[in-house]
Amino acid sequence: MEDRKIAVRVDDLTVAYNYKPVLWDIDLTIPESVLMAIVGPNGAGKSTLIKAILGIIEPIAGSVTIYDKPYEKQRKLVAYVPQKGSVDWDFPTTALDVVMMGTYGKLGWIKRPGQKEKKASLEALEKVGMLPFKNRQISQLSGGQQQRVFLARALVQDAAIYFMDEPFQGVDATTEIAIINILKELRKAGKTVIVVHHDLQTVPEYFDWVTFLNVKKIATGPVKDIFNDDNLTKTYGINYKVAVNK
Amino acid sequence: MSTPQIEIQLIAAVVAMACAIPGVFLVLRKMALISDAISHSILPGIVIGFFLTEDLNSPWLILLAAITGVITVVLVEGIQKTGLVKEDTAIGLVFPALFSIGVILIAKNANDIHLDVDAVLLGELAFAPFDRLLIAEIDVGPKSLWVMGGILTITIGLLIAFFKELKVSTFDAGLSSALGFSPVVLHYGLMSISSVTVVGAFDAVGAVLVVALMIAPAATAYLLTSDLKKMLVLSVVFGVSSAIAGYWVAHLLDASISGSMTTVLGIVFLMVYLFAPRKGLIAVMYRQRQQRTEVSLLTFLLHLNNHTEKSERHINHLNEHINWQKVRSQTVVDLAQKNNMITVTNNIVTLTPKGKEFTDLALEYIVTNKDDKIEYMKDDFFLFRG
């Protein structure tokens, strides 16, 4: 475990909205090739942590490095799946076109996607089982299908680190299993996957690494070592024995 | 057609095109009101620019006024960011303040400048051909045609260069930021080009109507397509055709050109709003009625499937049991019969093999809730339309 490379390092990160801290002095090291859940109650700053790491939100203090370099220099190593609810699904575009957006990062400004990008996007759609829907307008997709399209968009970024904000929100059981299988495959291929997660029951089954967060970092490490009642109680403020032992 | 007539239509078409393109992104970003704010708050910029240049079509005036437009956006966002008021309130606070400064400046200097509030609000396309652009004493055409042509060329150039960036930042600002396409830069780029367009167009169509030229074609196109490129093309087509049709309406009625253009835009929108094939009001109502019938049919078939006893399958009993009005029951029974899903003998309703198969399939979908089942069902349900 000790000789693993560090994929993401967060130092003394503090983020505030209107001068009210929502993340307070976070130190976090995420080793390479883990499938990590970030858990915590609502308002714990889970999404904010991801957004701050990716530079979408400006922190008021602290620093973030991706493989020992600032994020701006490592963009191409990182893929991001925002919350499904964060975009307007009535936007006039198709499933394939949304996936193609994942290729824009490597293209850079002005250059347009071509056949190579299209082929990669079709492959990503195939991987998530959405190829038959490639030309469908995105508002005509079900919630689970929309989430798969988002996942395909992240896959096409062909990154080393994947950040996902609640990918299981509002999806059916079939899609949830399909998504977690793909995430597990990514980890096996040596990628690092970081997921904001809500369902505590599935943490031991899905993930091998976990971070407990509630404005401050409570704990981080292998699921088998630290996913226990003590940390859950510290994070959620109530006794979680019943919930986890079920 | 006389030369001025052709020139007026040309200017109208170019203005409509230049407005329609940024309008598409404003509509998709749900920022239609910002165009209203910009179009009003550029007034002090125009007035001050006019004091300095004494030429409504001077590039300096356009630049100065466009900066006022961008300042409006900055102010609106600044006020909104305090969290004390919402965006619409912030817009409502900023643009009347700036606009009124412009009005006072005009009133104070009314004797010195040929600029009045009426012209500012409504514009006058009919006068546009009289202001000529002279290059080395040679008349090369109306000045506003050159100005708007230039703005349009820049707009199209930027659109082609940054289409992918505009698309991703409009659809998903978070991803855009993570990929390195700063949504802030793109936002202000769009705001700048919108401001420049509004200033350029304002002389021809005025501060109020320029909003219609930006928003109405995009809103109309949005109802007709689910492809951003097609939406852009359609917006331009609607904008240009409404502008030219508006000119001829004005010609026939001897009315204001800009007023007629806006009226045509409104009528075109209304028509599409009512009759658009998928998103139009009539199509939506038809679809909802159709869905209601389909659900009723399914309820009816499931009931038959669940009950083998004759008493449950008597046609009169069905009326009471499923609790439908007689007319509705009749429609559903007719529909089921028409599709060979049931047979009725001695007022007892029986499922046919086809009806049974359909019901089983529907049940399977309800139980498994699998996406692929929905797809199959959707095709099946289309069978019952019309």
Side-chain angles (χ1 to χ4, degrees):
Chain A
M1 217 43 84
E2 293 309 312
D3 55 351
R4 271 199 204 174
K5 272 203 225 164
I6 302 300
V8 183
R9 188 192 297 276
V10 177
D11 283 315
D12 307 324
L13 187 78
T14 298
V15 180
Y17 288 130
N18 293 322
Y19 307 107
K20 184 176 169 284
V22 283
L23 280 179
W24 197 239
D25 199 32
I26 305 289
D27 288 304
L28 184 63
T29 33
I30 306 170
E32 191 179 52
S33 190
V34 296
L35 179 46
M36 183 180 97
I38 301 175
V39 296
N42 288 330
K46 304 184 293 290
S47 300
T48 308
L49 175 60
I50 286 190
K51 286 181 186 159
I53 291 173
L54 299 178
I56 298 169
I57 295 176
E58 190 91 20
I60 57 170
S63 66
V64 174
T65 54
I66 306 285
Y67 285 109
D68 298 324
K69 281 184 194 147
Y71 174 70
E72 290 73 36
K73 292 196 174 141
Q74 304 282 49
R75 275 185 213 286
K76 285 171 190 167
L77 295 180
V78 175
Y80 170 51
V81 179
Q83 274 184 31
K84 193 158 65 65
S86 69
V87 306
D88 173 15
W89 291 92
D90 284 324
F91 192 84
T93 189
T94 59
L96 175 61
D97 204 37
V98 170
V99 177
M100 297 265 277
M101 289 179 191
T103 66
Y104 291 1
K106 286 211 166 80
L107 287 168
W109 287 85
I110 298 178
K111 231 177 121 193
R112 283 149 178 266
Q115 281 310 312
K116 192 180 128 209
E117 283 75 21
K118 190 173 174 186
K119 197 170 152 262
S121 304
L122 288 171
E123 280 168 13
L125 275 171
E126 168 99 77
K127 213 174 270 178
V128 300
M130 286 293 295
L131 197 56
F133 305 95
K134 65 177 174 10
N135 292 323
R136 185 162 295 184
Q137 211 266 317
I138 51 172
S139 66
Q140 307 289 105
L141 299 170
S142 71
Q145 291 171 332
Q146 290 173 344
Q147 194 65 60
R148 286 174 195 227
V149 168
F150 259 17
L151 180 61
R153 188 177 71 178
L155 291 177
V156 92
Q157 285 184 254
D158 191 22
I161 308 172
Y162 292 79
F163 289 92
M164 310 204 173
D165 203 343
E166 302 202 21
F168 303 118
Q169 198 183 41
V171 307
D172 54 70
T174 328
T175 301
E176 179 157 338
I177 293 163
I179 292 176
I180 195 66
N181 284 339
I182 289 171
L183 300 189
K184 283 178 175 170
E185 262 174 47
L186 287 173
R187 181 198 47 203
K188 266 183 214 145
K191 319 276 189 182
T192 309
V193 185
I194 295 144
V195 179
V196 171
H197 193 57
H198 252 306
D199 183 9
L200 292 170
Q201 310 276 345
T202 52
V203 169
E205 187 190 334
Y206 289 175
F207 300 95
D208 61 353
W209 211 264
V210 65
T211 293
F212 290 96
L213 190 72
N214 192 354
V215 185
K216 291 163 83 168
K217 185 191 75 182
I218 312 292
T220 185
V223 170
K224 59 177 167 43
D225 299 343
I226 69 155
F227 194 73
N228 52 37
D229 293 343
D230 187 32
N231 281 326
L232 282 164
T233 309
K234 271 189 204 156
T235 309
Y236 289 85
I238 40 169
N239 197 334
Y240 254 87
K241 269 196 175 75
V242 186
V244 177
N245 291 344
K246 232 196 286 188
Chain B
M1 268 191 279
S2 65
T3 315
Q5 279 186 324
I6 293 171
E7 281 176 355
I8 289 172
Q9 289 177 70
L10 255 174
I11 296 167
V14 172
V15 167
M17 245 189 265
C19 287
I21 293 170
V24 165
F25 291 98
L26 292 178
V27 165
L28 289 176
R29 287 165 175 248
K30 302 178 177 59
M31 292 178 62
L33 261 184
I34 274 284
S35 68
D36 196 18
I38 292 174
S39 71
H40 283 77
S41 57
I42 54 171
L43 187 61
I46 290 175
V47 178
I48 295 167
F50 190 75
F51 289 158
L52 299 175
T53 61
E54 305 207 329
D55 174 4
L56 267 180
N57 283 317
S58 153
W60 292 112
L61 179 143
I62 289 175
L63 210 64
L64 199 68
I67 290 169
T68 329
V70 176
I71 290 172
T72 313
V73 178
V74 175
L75 286 176
V76 167
E77 280 165 5
I79 292 175
Q80 194 193 340
K81 254 195 201 122
T82 62
L84 299 173
V85 293
K86 298 242 180 296
E87 190 190 9
D88 53 348
T89 314
I91 291 175
L93 285 168
V94 171
F95 86 77
L98 288 167
F99 186 70
S100 56
I101 293 171
V103 172
I104 291 170
L105 282 174
I106 293 180
K108 285 292 282 178
N109 302 278
N111 298 332
D112 306 331
I113 60 172
H114 93 120
L115 192 72
D116 61 75
V117 176
D118 270 5
V120 164
L121 285 174
L122 301 172
E124 191 43 270
L125 204 51
F127 296 152
F130 297 123
D131 193 7
R132 315 298 295 184
L133 181 67
L134 301 173
I135 295 174
E137 306 289 306
I138 300 162
D139 181 359
V140 290
K143 222 180 220 174
S144 55
L145 185 59
W146 282 96
V147 170
M148 278 318 287
I151 293 173
L152 175 63
T153 311
I154 294 169
T155 304
I156 291 176
L158 289 171
L159 175 71
I160 291 171
F162 298 111
F163 179 72
K164 122 177 159 279
E165 289 80 0
L166 277 167
K167 182 164 72 179
V168 68
S169 74
T170 303
F171 174 62
D172 190 342
L175 178 80
S176 179
S177 165
L179 291 177
F181 308 117
S182 163
V184 179
V185 169
L186 288 157
H187 173 69
Y188 280 103
L190 178 64
M191 288 304 120
S192 305
I193 200 74
S194 302
S195 297
V196 169
T197 309
V198 169
V199 182
F202 136 106
D203 187 25
V205 292
V208 178
L209 302 182
V210 69
V211 179
L213 278 176
M214 286 196 133
I215 304 308
T220 313
Y222 181 72
L223 294 175
L224 286 172
T225 176
S226 49
D227 179 309
L228 182 56
K229 277 182 194 157
K230 282 185 198 143
M231 185 172 165
L232 280 159
V233 172
L234 277 176
S235 295
V236 167
V237 170
F238 283 130
V240 171
S241 52
S242 303
I244 291 172
Y247 169 77
W248 287 104
V249 170
H251 189 75
L252 280 172
L253 300 177
D254 192 18
S256 147
I257 297 174
S258 52
S260 305
M261 273 163 50
T262 315
T263 308
V264 173
L265 279 169
I267 292 170
V268 170
F269 174 77
L270 186 67
M271 288 298 139
V272 172
Y273 177 71
L274 289 176
F275 301 112
R278 217 166 52 79
K279 294 183 191 166
L281 197 63
I282 290 171
V284 168
M285 278 166 66
Y286 174 77
R287 199 159 55 233
Q288 281 171 350
R289 223 195 71 187
Q290 217 50 35
Q291 274 166 358
R292 215 172 53 210
T293 313
E294 282 168 0
V295 169
S296 302
L297 175 72
L298 205 55
T299 315
F300 173 64
L301 293 175
L302 285 174
H303 180 79
L304 290 176
N305 198 33
N306 283 340
H307 296 282
T308 42
E309 58 275 32
K310 273 193 181 160
S311 62
E312 288 282 342
R313 293 190 284 122
H314 193 276
I315 208 142
N316 288 335
H317 172 79
L318 288 174
N319 277 341
E320 298 156 21
H321 204 93
I322 313 187
N323 216 358
W324 286 336
Q325 301 291 323
K326 252 209 155 88
V327 188
R328 183 104 170 269
S329 316
Q330 194 59 50
T331 321
V332 172
V333 170
D334 287 349
L335 187 64
Q337 264 187 311
K338 205 176 85 189
N339 286 287
N340 298 324
M341 291 185 152
I342 54 165
T343 49
V344 184
T345 31
N346 298 329
N347 281 336
I348 300 294
V349 188
T350 316
L351 275 179
T352 62
K354 188 186 167 198
K356 178 94 175 84
E357 190 194 335
F358 178 82
T359 315
D360 288 344
L361 213 71
L363 262 175
E364 204 184 328
Y365 158 60
I366 291 165
V367 173
T368 59
N369 200 21
K370 276 187 178 159
D371 289 344
D372 50 331
K373 288 285 186 290
I374 302 176
E375 294 319 308
Y376 193 60
M377 289 303 294
K378 272 182 187 163
D379 288 342
D380 251 1
F381 271 74
F382 274 108
L383 282 177
F384 300 99
R385 301 222 163 152

